[in-house]
């Protein structure tokens, strides 16, 4: 049986980065840039005022005090978006708003708080200004022709703002992976329908779809099939256009656990068990040249295996550099028991306390107990050989819902 690290390595070696495409900016959030963005213009495009105030010749304000202010003639108002018409000469000023172009001849902006209105169209400046004060020079942020963003950059709000500031409407970025989810199990009923004896509601559909959506990936298909080989095969064929397929249930060693059988027949199995708890029965392989994960049916196991194995694959497909789950060190708040054997991932809540990252594991450890996941933002890692961890110990936790190794 593979360790989790071995299984992750098998997965990452088997999946490739998806092709790139031209994507409208607002659809590119979280995508990875495939081509550099070169600035077609400089930013800012022109010298402009950083403050509301008066564009002046700095020399005119030398030695200005409230008792002996510099009195300047105000030539015109220059709001943001306007073009100055007058040349500032010694003894004159223009009233400028934040973002307004600097009038020719001026070399500083005096903030409005350092002025007061004077008589007959003048302004009194009572604090001296130095050349360049409150002026944002053209090109100070980026020069025209310079690379603004490089391939590999993950596009967040700031990057999308920068691309907009450069006047671009689209980016060339790695396509968002499209995921097919097939839940299996004859005992399952969709929420909203009547629960007959012996049946339970399908919770993996929502939980796994949410796991996909949380990181910005797409759900291409969401299907449910009974425990029936041909129904599963048909469902898989119907999902062949997805970039990654996953099933839940039917992967342990029970008689109705037919996911492996189907996968072996129409695809290729790379592993079907991993030394982890929960989530030992988890299959990985390829069908139709695409990665397929057979996640366990137990709801908590399905969530944990998604985070530890599927999410890394999706990050690799999305073009991310670091694909493995993000782990940090924290101080454990309560004792946990453990039977040596498999590495355990316990649902837990990490938080800051007195400047220290602390972690509170869920008391519930059952792989079917969804209440253990309520509020969980992390998984406490309990080493395979451990006989238990004690409050106060430094422990490793996996942070959930992050962009992998990148914070
Ligand atoms: P299996 O791996 O199919 O044997 O399923 C293991 C356990 O998980 C069984 O108790 C199933 O009833 C349960 N289970 C499987 N699929 C789901 C699902 N989609 N939603 C909720 N529970 C499930
Ligand atoms: Mg089943």
């Amino acid at each position: 049986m593979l360790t989790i690290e071995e299984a992750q390595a098998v997965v990452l070696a088997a999946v490739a980065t998806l092709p790139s495409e031209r994507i409208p900016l607002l659809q590119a959030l979280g995508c990875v840039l495939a081509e550099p963005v070169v600035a077609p213009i400089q930013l800012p495009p022109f010298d402009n005022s950083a403050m509301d105030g008066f564009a002046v010749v700095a020399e005119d304000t030398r030695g200005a005090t409230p008792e002996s202010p510099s009195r300047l003639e105000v030539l015109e108002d220059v709001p943001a978006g306007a073009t100055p018409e007058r040349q500032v000469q010694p003894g004159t000023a223009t009233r400028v708003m934040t973002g307004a172009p600097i009038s020719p001849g001026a070399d500083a902006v005096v903030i409005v708080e350092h002025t007061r209105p004077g008589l007959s169209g003048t302004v009194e400046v009572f604090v001296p200004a130095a050349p360049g004060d409150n002026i944002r020079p053209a090109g100070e942020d980026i020069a025209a022709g310079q690379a603004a963003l490089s391939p590999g950059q993950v596009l967040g709000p700031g990057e999308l703002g920068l691309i907009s500031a450069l006047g671009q409407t689209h980016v060339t970025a790695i396509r968002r992976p499209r995921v097919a989810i097939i839940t299996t199990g004859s005992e399952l009923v969709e929420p909203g329908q009547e629960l007959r004896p012996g049946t339970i509601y399908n919770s993996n559909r929502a939980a796994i779809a949410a796991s996909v959506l949380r990181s910005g990936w797409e759900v291409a298909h969401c299907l449910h099939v009974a425990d029936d080989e041909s129904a599963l095969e048909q469902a898989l064929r119907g999902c062949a256009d997805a970039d990654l397929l996953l099933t839940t249930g039917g992967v342990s060693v029970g008689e109705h656990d037919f996911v492996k059988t189907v996968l072996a027949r129409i695809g290729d199995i790379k592993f079907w068990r991993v030394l982890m708890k929960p989530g030992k029965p988890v299959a990985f392989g390829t069908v139709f040249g695409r990665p397929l994960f057979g996640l366990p049916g137990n709801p908590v196991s399905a969530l944990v295996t998604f985070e530890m194995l599927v999410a890394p694959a999706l990050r690799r497909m999305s073009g991310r550099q670091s694909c493995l789950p993000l782990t940090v060190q924290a101080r454990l708040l309560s004792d946990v028991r453990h039977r040596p054997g498999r590495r355990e991932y316990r649902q837990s809540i990490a938080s800051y306390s007195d400047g220290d990252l602390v972690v509170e594991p869920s008391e519930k450890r059952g792989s079917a107990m969804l209440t253990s996941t309520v509020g969980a933002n992390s998984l406490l890692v309990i080493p395979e050989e451990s006989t238990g961890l004690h409050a106060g110990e430094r422990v490793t936790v996996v942070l959930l819902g992050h962009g992998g190794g990148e914070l």
Side-chain angles (χ1 to χ4, degrees):
M1 218 184 307
L2 300 183
T3 64
I4 180 76
E5 284 80 13
E6 288 165 343
Q8 285 167 333
V10 168
V11 167
L12 290 179
V15 300
T17 300
L18 294 177
S20 58
E21 59 186 27
R22 293 286 289 168
I23 305 179
L25 276 198
L26 278 184
Q27 289 168 30
L29 177 64
C31 290
V32 172
L33 202 60
E35 285 177 6
V37 174
V38 176
I41 55 170
Q42 61 181 344
L43 288 182
F46 49 89
D47 292 351
N48 69 95
S49 180
M51 303 289 279
D52 292 342
F54 291 86
V56 302
V57 176
E59 182 59 27
D60 278 352
T61 64
R62 186 203 290 241
T65 63
E67 294 71 39
S68 148
S70 303
R71 191 165 294 115
L72 304 172
E73 180 195 349
V74 180
L75 300 175
E76 63 173 341
D77 275 10
V78 189
T83 308
E85 281 167 7
R86 305 288 302 274
Q87 170 98 20
V88 172
Q89 313 273 4
T92 68
T94 55
R95 183 181 286 107
V96 290
M97 306 302 148
T98 305
I102 301 299
S103 303
D107 64 0
V109 169
V110 179
I111 63 173
V112 73
E113 292 85 344
H114 291 170
T115 70
R116 61 191 175 223
L119 291 175
S120 53
T122 63
V123 62
E124 291 181 358
V125 175
F126 50 78
V127 176
D133 274 4
N134 303 306
I135 293 179
R136 302 188 284 213
E140 76 166 345
D141 199 5
I142 191 163
Q146 200 181 325
L149 296 169
S150 306
Q153 179 64 54
V154 179
L155 299 172
E159 289 80 14
L160 295 176
L162 172 59
I163 298 165
S164 298
L166 293 170
Q168 313 286 294
T169 58
H170 289 66
V171 281
T172 303
I174 309 295
R175 188 157 66 69
R176 231 178 256 287
R178 301 173 69 245
V179 181
I181 301 168
I182 304 171
T183 53
T184 73
S186 299
E187 75 283 26
L188 297 165
V189 170
E190 292 308 316
Q193 295 178 1
E194 197 193 336
L195 206 56
R196 296 179 309 278
T199 64
I200 60 169
Y201 286 119
N202 182 355
S203 59
N204 285 345
R205 179 192 183 98
I208 297 303
S211 300
V212 171
L213 295 174
R214 164 157 74 177
S215 299
W217 302 306
E218 272 176 38
V219 175
H221 302 278
C222 220
L223 305 173
H224 181 75
V225 296
D227 291 323
D228 177 279
E229 268 188 51
S230 65
L232 176 62
E233 180 176 338
Q234 209 187 325
L236 288 170
R237 292 194 185 283
C239 294
D241 63 339
D243 297 310
L244 180 147
L245 293 85
L246 41 97
T247 62
T248 71
V251 274
S252 42
V253 286
E255 247 177 61
H256 299 285
D257 294 331
F258 50 96
V259 170
K260 277 193 313 247
T261 321
V262 174
L263 185 54
R265 183 149 45 76
I266 65 171
D268 164 37
I269 303 184
K270 299 209 188 294
F271 62 75
W272 55 278
R273 284 189 308 174
V274 176
L275 274 167
M276 65 189 283
K277 179 184 159 72
K280 181 168 80 170
V282 54
F284 172 69
T286 53
V287 264
F288 324 123
R290 289 162 165 71
L292 178 139
F293 289 87
L295 302 185
N298 275 310
V300 180
S301 313
L303 283 170
V304 171
T305 48
F306 183 94
E307 209 64 39
M308 299 308 295
L309 293 166
V310 184
L314 287 167
R315 287 188 202 109
R316 167 64 46 86
M317 295 170 88
S318 325
R320 301 258 173 168
Q321 304 289 315
S322 40
C323 301
L324 293 176
L326 180 65
T327 57
V328 295
Q329 300 296 304
R331 182 164 50 84
L332 187 60
L333 291 179
S334 23
D335 292 350
V336 289
R337 284 177 296 129
H338 182 250
R339 189 150 40 87
R342 285 177 281 153
R343 170 107 42 97
E344 185 176 341
Y345 294 94
R346 183 79 64 88
Q347 300 289 321
S348 57
I349 298 177
S351 61
Y352 259 102
S353 169
D354 291 333
D356 206 12
L357 191 61
V358 294
V359 63
E360 182 66 77
S362 167
E363 282 170 15
K364 296 194 179 165
R365 55 200 307 193
S367 57
M369 289 202 260
L370 275 170
T371 57
S372 68
T373 68
V374 175
N377 57 7
S378 52
L379 301 174
L380 166 66
V381 180
I382 311 175
E384 26 283 81
E385 71 284 1
S386 168
T387 53
L389 300 173
H390 301 286
E393 266 190 72
R394 302 298 297 171
V395 292
T396 301
V397 297
V398 173
L399 295 184
L400 300 175
H402 274 270
E406 297 146 17
L407 254 182

